[in-house]
Amino acid sequence: MKLGFLPAPNPARKFNPSLRETLSRSFPVGTALALLFGALATEAAAPVKIRLATLAPKDTSLHKTLQQMGESWKKSTADQVQLTIYTDGTMGGEADMVRRMRIGQIQAAMLSGPGLAQVEDSVRGLQLMPMMFQSLEEFDYVFEKLRPGLEKKFRDKGFEVILWGDLGWVRFFSKQPARRIDDYRKMKVFVWSGDTRSAEVMKAVRVNPVPAEHTDTLPGLQTGLFDMVPTVPIYALAGQFYGPAPHMLDLNWVPLVGATIVTKKTWDATPADKRAELMKAAAEAGRQVSQHGRAESVEAVAAMEKRGLKVTKPTPEDIADWMKFMDEAYPKIRGNMVPADMFDEVVKLVKEYRAKAK
């Protein structure tokens, strides 16, 4: 067979009338157009299915808030946006969730600071500057100033941030009682798997980090893999960490900040005229996450105390010891755990807030 360009049509050659009639009878033009437009209409009506992963346990307020957001999305778009939620870390740790989003296995995830940092380093300024914030109101002020720039950076990386939230202050849950940094230097301390820079800085300030996934926290405490885990009380209660780690230091370490992100490809596939409503429902979900999370973390401490948790209240001398430790740690955090420009911006905004408060 000879391959090449098709010969030019010969104007003198006439089309076989019998063949034309046969085609018309067997496949009418109207039928072809109907099938074509029917296929296009079906494709246009196909719902956008968003699979969202989270470490949040099933039936917690976090899970229920996401469910409410999903129902709102479904209603406002006439079922054109459908949300399916995978709880309890069934899609793996947060690094796994980010990887799954990048290859299209899931389209969204609710992540804490370490998971978000897998996408954009600057978010570490909200999560990895311990004792920088003296109150949650101070944190709120700094966050709102940083928010637009952070969301743009995520968008540039191919993700849309649809909601932010926090669960209040991270506390230290340990097997042995402790109140100062030297007490914790004797312990093996949980650190997120894959967060190598945090581990390196912890080693630099003579703290012994043990990388693990969040889903390994309880068995790790039970088997002695580590002796202390920094987390919010609501997670300690849900995960029953207070059993093998019955001591909590009531120190305002850092707020546990999180966000729900969706791949930009998926977000751009949602109905353009409905995105404002989708974002409004997501923003409301974010407000509920912070409101419920902060309140429930306080309630969780009381609930765990009834089950045997022993809470250590730091003295002013203890706080001074921790601040002295942070003076040693901050230069190592700046430029390593937190980008230098973000670190400096957070410090500037904290000073700005305190000046206005005075």
Side-chain angles (χ1 to χ4, degrees):
M1 178 182 294
K2 185 177 180 181
L3 297 177
F5 291 102
L6 293 174
N10 184 350
R13 186 176 178 182
K14 295 184 178 180
F15 190 81
N16 187 338
S18 61
L19 179 59
R20 181 189 296 115
E21 292 169 3
T22 302
L23 287 172
S24 298
R25 287 194 299 269
S26 62
F27 204 98
V29 174
T31 303
L33 290 174
L35 289 172
L36 173 62
F37 286 114
L40 290 175
T42 301
E43 183 178 352
V48 178
K49 296 184 178 181
I50 301 177
R51 295 184 291 272
L52 185 154
T54 176
L55 294 176
K58 185 177 181 181
D59 294 331
T60 57
S61 63
L62 277 175
H63 178 214
K64 291 176 181 177
T65 297
L66 290 173
Q67 286 179 314
Q68 290 170 5
M69 181 183 76
E71 286 300 315
S72 178
W73 282 4
K74 184 177 180 181
K75 183 178 179 180
S76 65
T77 63
D79 211 18
Q80 284 300 101
V81 177
Q82 300 175 1
L83 182 67
T84 302
I85 303 164
Y86 298 88
T87 60
D88 298 283
T90 53
M91 287 292 176
E94 294 195 348
D96 294 320
M97 295 178 195
V98 173
R99 178 183 57 81
R100 287 177 183 272
M101 280 191 288
R102 283 177 168 147
I103 62 177
Q105 289 183 346
I106 60 176
Q107 293 71 45
M110 175 178 273
L111 304 169
S112 64
L116 294 170
Q118 297 285 324
V119 178
E120 172 50 49
D121 258 0
S122 297
V123 78
R124 293 173 181 267
L126 300 176
Q127 187 72 74
L128 297 180
M129 294 176 65
M131 299 186 72
M132 179 60 66
F133 307 111
Q134 294 180 349
S135 68
L136 291 173
E137 291 75 20
E138 190 170 278
F139 165 75
D140 289 340
Y141 176 85
V142 173
F143 167 69
E144 287 302 328
K145 294 286 186 180
L146 296 175
R147 179 176 179 168
L150 285 171
E151 291 180 351
K152 182 182 184 304
K153 288 180 179 181
F154 273 90
R155 196 172 296 117
D156 292 342
K157 297 285 180 68
F159 294 89
E160 193 73 31
V161 181
I162 60 169
L163 71 85
W164 295 89
D166 72 82
L167 301 180
W169 295 108
V170 168
R171 311 292 194 194
F172 295 163
F173 291 82
S174 59
K175 291 187 171 186
Q176 301 85 26
R179 59 172 62 245
R180 296 194 179 186
I181 181 60
D182 283 342
D183 298 326
Y184 291 102
R185 282 179 169 140
K186 301 170 187 175
M187 302 181 189
K188 293 172 286 185
V189 179
F190 170 93
V191 65
W192 289 82
S193 178
D195 192 1
T196 55
R197 280 179 288 179
S198 292
E200 288 167 3
V201 170
M202 289 172 73
K203 290 176 183 176
V205 292
R206 304 183 304 285
V207 175
N208 182 22
V210 178
E213 291 291 349
H214 186 273
T215 48
D216 297 328
T217 305
L218 182 59
L221 287 169
Q222 291 169 331
T223 60
L225 179 64
F226 34 79
D227 308 302
M228 189 273 270
V229 57
T231 189
V232 287
I234 188 174
Y235 274 177
L237 176 61
Q240 299 183 6
F241 305 160
Y242 61 89
H247 299 277
M248 186 195 91
L249 181 62
D250 193 14
L251 182 75
N252 293 343
W253 189 238
V254 290
L256 182 62
V257 184
T260 297
I261 62 175
V262 181
T263 61
K264 194 169 184 304
K265 177 182 177 182
T266 300
W267 186 252
D268 289 346
T270 61
D273 61 334
K274 299 294 183 182
R275 281 180 208 147
E277 293 181 61
L278 298 178
M279 196 61 83
K280 181 179 178 182
E284 175 57 28
R287 283 190 289 273
Q288 290 185 27
V289 166
S290 293
Q291 181 182 350
H292 294 161
R294 294 178 183 187
E296 289 176 6
S297 276
V298 173
E299 294 165 3
V301 174
M304 288 185 287
E305 284 187 290
K306 292 179 180 178
R307 294 167 172 81
L309 180 72
K310 299 173 181 64
V311 177
T312 299
K313 298 282 185 181
T315 65
E317 292 76 19
D318 294 333
I319 297 294
D321 184 74
W322 280 103
M323 293 308 300
K324 182 180 178 181
F325 166 63
M326 293 319 305
D327 288 340
E328 176 190 353
Y330 283 151
K332 296 176 175 63
I333 291 172
R334 183 184 183 274
N336 292 311
M337 287 170 61
V338 178
D341 59 341
M342 176 56 73
F343 187 98
D344 295 342
E345 184 66 13
V346 170
V347 171
K348 186 191 88 170
L349 290 170
V350 166
K351 290 179 179 177
E352 180 179 291
Y353 175 84
R354 291 175 187 172
K356 289 182 178 181
K358 287 180 181 179

